Amino acid sequence: MRTTTSPASPAISGRWRRTAASALGTAALVLAGLGTAAHASAAPAATTTTTSAKVTWAATPCATPKHKGDLTCDSFRVTGGTTAFQKERAAETGKAAKVTPKASAASPTGYGPSDLQDAYGLTDAASSSGSGETIAIVDAYDDPNAAADLAKYRTYYGLPACTVANGCFKKVSQSGSTTSLPSADSGWAEEESLDLDMAGAVCPNCKILLVEATSSSMANLGKAVNEAVTLGAKFVSNSYGGSESSSDTSYDTSYFKHAGVAITVSAGDEGYGAEYPAASKYVTSVGGTALSTSSTTRGWTEKVWNTSSTEGTGSGCSAYDAKPTWQTDTGCAKRTISDVSAVADPATGVSVYDSYGVTAGWYTFGGTSASAPIIAAVYALAGTPGSSDYPASYPYADTSALNDVTSGSNGTCSSSAAYLCTAKSGYDGPTGLGTPQGTDAFTG
């Protein structure tokens, strides 16, 4: 992410800002065994590995900016250990398996479509809804294997074919061209595989439009968002972000103010602290949780995803964007992140098939890059938004149709606004209003 500056908000600890002191902070984390990729430095930095409960992962290459001012993806790829999915399957079969570090697995090691649909009460909707709806995925650079990898994922899980030939899948540049595409990038290709697979996992009957920006600048990614809307998508997922700037309100008007379109944006992966475009008042900012099976009636349990002081779901107060009318919390004078959430913890991560620039096979991913397309797909299952609506308001009108996440934190805020960092009953920053419990909270 771009270097983040601290907004005028409740005093915090638990999130190290990526400034000139980042090298010292990273060294301290490495000594403690908690290193992460230096997302916000202007120049690329070496990616280090995070470990949690014997699961290891590393930030995908697109989490390090190529150029100063670039936005970065919000994803991590598991490199070793035994994921929540594997532990649950081992308990059922009596056979344990481990991810081979830095290599693909022959079969999935993360949650698949049936897991996600079951966890979020979407099984019936996923089988009967979404036909005729288009989910747009906006990312930077080209993934030459996007269509083929998506087909592998969907075939394995028995999802309906979604190909260029049958009209379900389309890949275009930010100008809408199907032939003149951006340069290929293996790091962003990982991100694109994650996004495409999650959209299809939750809404198997939806069409998918992949819009590839020329670069990861806000201008080019913004143009890609506009192109997605021009091409008819009513649901647009964005799994990237960067630090806020005084230009954000103009970006709002130029790129994200699309009435009748549900636009979702990852809240970020560096713990407490606002980033853009998640801070836009026109989008649904999506936080992240750790998702595990449980003996509850629901069969699943969630808590705030947080690994260390510099890694976990984003939340916080915008320094620039006005608070939308539907948001009523009092700890932030301006826009508060997040609105809703879904699974993002790499240790409880999702299954993805990828082949470009990596060993072809199955990987497990996490980060709020996973939660943003999941929520976009839930909106799609809920149906086309009202033509004059900004669907970010929908969950606030029906909070009973959400799973309230009440445990965990992503930092330490002042006691007067602890909810900005710590989950509680009702609204909180890290998980927003909660996670999907069916589609009712995502329709107008």
Side-chain angles (χ1 to χ4, degrees):
M1 281 176 279
R2 292 173 283 166
T3 303
T4 303
T5 55
S6 180
S9 59
I12 64 166
S13 62
R15 185 176 194 240
W16 293 10
R17 302 298 178 182
R18 313 285 190 164
T19 62
S22 64
L24 179 60
T26 301
L29 287 173
V30 170
L31 289 173
L34 294 170
T36 64
H39 293 210
S41 58
T47 298
T48 53
T49 300
T50 298
T51 304
S52 176
K54 298 183 179 179
V55 179
T56 61
W57 59 85
T60 53
C62 54
T64 300
K66 290 179 179 293
H67 311 99
K68 183 177 181 180
D70 280 358
L71 279 68
T72 61
C73 63
D74 288 316
S75 56
F76 296 88
R77 177 163 59 84
V78 170
T79 55
T82 305
T83 65
F85 170 84
Q86 291 174 292
K87 291 175 183 177
E88 290 156 14
R89 294 304 178 270
E92 296 172 358
T93 65
K95 297 180 180 180
K98 290 186 177 181
V99 179
T100 303
K102 298 183 180 179
S104 63
S107 59
T109 54
Y111 290 131
S114 62
D115 301 302
L116 297 173
Q117 293 168 20
D118 183 61
Y120 295 125
L122 301 167
T123 302
D124 290 343
S127 66
S128 61
S129 302
S131 180
E133 304 289 8
T134 297
I135 302 171
I137 301 297
V138 172
D139 280 311
Y141 301 101
D142 180 40
D143 176 3
N145 296 357
D149 289 349
L150 178 63
K152 288 276 190 179
Y153 180 90
R154 296 176 73 101
T155 298
Y156 180 90
Y157 285 111
L159 304 180
C162 189
T163 65
V164 175
N166 70 9
C168 174
F169 177 69
K170 186 176 184 179
K171 181 175 74 170
V172 300
S173 69
Q174 68 186 48
S175 63
S177 174
T178 58
T179 55
S180 180
L181 298 170
S183 59
D185 183 276
S186 59
W188 278 94
E190 292 184 40
E191 175 65 45
E192 290 175 41
S193 291
L194 166 62
D195 294 344
L196 293 171
D197 288 354
M198 290 308 96
V202 173
C203 189
N205 297 319
C206 285
K207 294 181 179 181
I208 301 177
L209 170 67
L210 174 59
V211 186
E212 298 177 329
T214 302
S215 75
S216 57
S217 70
M218 184 68 262
N220 285 324
L221 286 164
K223 290 175 183 176
V225 171
N226 287 343
E227 184 62 26
V229 176
T230 296
L231 292 175
K234 298 298 182 183
F235 314 94
V236 184
S237 175
N238 304 270
S239 293
Y240 55 83
S243 61
E244 295 188 284
S245 78
S246 58
S247 299
D248 290 349
T249 54
S250 65
Y251 295 152
D252 279 355
T253 304
S254 298
Y255 306 130
F256 298 104
K257 188 178 181 181
H258 293 287
V261 180
I263 301 176
T264 62
V265 180
S266 300
D269 293 346
E270 293 182 351
Y272 184 90
E275 68 174 58
Y276 192 85
S280 171
K281 63 182 179 180
Y282 298 112
V283 311
T284 299
S285 59
V286 186
T289 67
L291 173 71
S292 302
T293 57
S294 73
S295 58
T296 61
T297 301
R298 178 189 172 195
W300 300 84
T301 185
E302 290 176 276
K303 62 181 180 180
V304 174
W305 165 49
N306 178 248
T307 306
S308 72
S309 60
T310 58
E311 187 178 289
T313 184
S315 69
C317 303
S318 173
Y320 302 101
D321 260 76
K323 186 180 288 293
T325 57
W326 53 84
Q327 203 172 50
T328 59
D329 66 294
T330 58
C332 294
K334 297 185 183 294
R335 172 76 156 108
T336 309
I337 299 169
S338 299
D339 295 309
V340 293
S341 51
V343 61
D345 188 344
T348 69
V350 296
S351 177
V352 172
Y353 189 89
D354 189 41
S355 69
Y356 184 71
V358 294
T359 302
W362 293 96
Y363 294 89
T364 295
F365 278 83
T368 53
S369 279
S371 56
I374 288 173
I375 296 299
V378 177
Y379 271 112
L381 289 175
T384 305
S387 60
S388 61
D389 293 351
Y390 290 98
S393 68
Y394 289 174
Y396 290 84
D398 192 0
T399 58
S400 64
L402 294 161
N403 300 302
D404 192 7
V405 181
T406 59
S407 64
S409 67
N410 66 347
T412 303
C413 295
S414 65
S415 58
S416 62
Y419 77 94
L420 295 174
C421 297
T422 303
K424 69 175 189 64
S425 296
Y427 180 83
D428 58 71
T431 65
L433 298 164
T435 63
Q437 187 181 76
T439 62
D440 286 354
F442 298 87
T443 185

